[in-house]
Amino acid sequence: MNNQKRKVGMLLLIIVLISFSMISSYGFSIPQTPTVDIYVQDYAFMLSNEVKEDMLRMSHSLKEKTSAELVIVTVPSLEGRSIEEYALNLFREWGIGSENKNNGVLLLVA
């Protein structure tokens, strides 16, 4: 009986540790997937309206001609994460590109 309690306790400890590691990896905030004009999102307010419109036109044209998706995102902070980690999480969360064609490109500026 005592051995069984010990096994259950160890299992719970492992579950808690795994949960904390997942929270520390993915617990930072990624902007929600935009519903309009996903191709250019300027959360750091770095781009002029003219530049945003040009980038948006180019991204739409690329999508029409090749089916590839080019998404440009600026953020004011990486919240202590590496740019690779932040970009990968943003890329996956937003579902950039076609999953079967692997044709998405994310340009992240922080």
Side-chain angles (χ1 to χ4, degrees), residues 13-78:
L13 179 62
I14 290 170
I15 290 170
V16 168
L17 291 174
I18 290 172
S19 297
F20 280 124
S21 70
M22 290 176 76
I23 289 170
S24 68
S25 295
Y26 299 105
F28 61 98
S29 61
I30 292 289
Q32 287 196 343
T33 307
T35 55
V36 179
D37 295 335
I38 187 173
Y39 300 120
V40 180
Q41 295 298 313
D42 185 23
Y43 298 109
F45 306 105
M46 299 173 69
L47 307 172
S48 70
N49 286 335
E50 184 178 289
V51 169
K52 282 193 269 191
E53 289 300 319
D54 285 344
M55 290 176 160
L56 198 54
R57 263 193 302 279
M58 287 186 290
S59 291
H60 279 290
S61 177
L62 180 67
K63 170 83 174 179
E64 288 175 9
K65 292 177 183 174
T66 68
S67 80
E69 291 183 346
L70 170 62
V71 176
I72 298 104
V73 179
T74 69
V75 293
S77 169
L78 297 174

Side-chain angles (χ1 to χ4, degrees), residues 69-73 86-88 90-91 94 96 104-108:
E69 291 183 346
L70 170 62
V71 176
I72 298 104
V73 179
Y86 194 100
L88 180 61
L90 182 68
F91 195 92
W94 287 15
I96 299 169
V105 177
L106 171 63
L107 173 61
L108 176 63

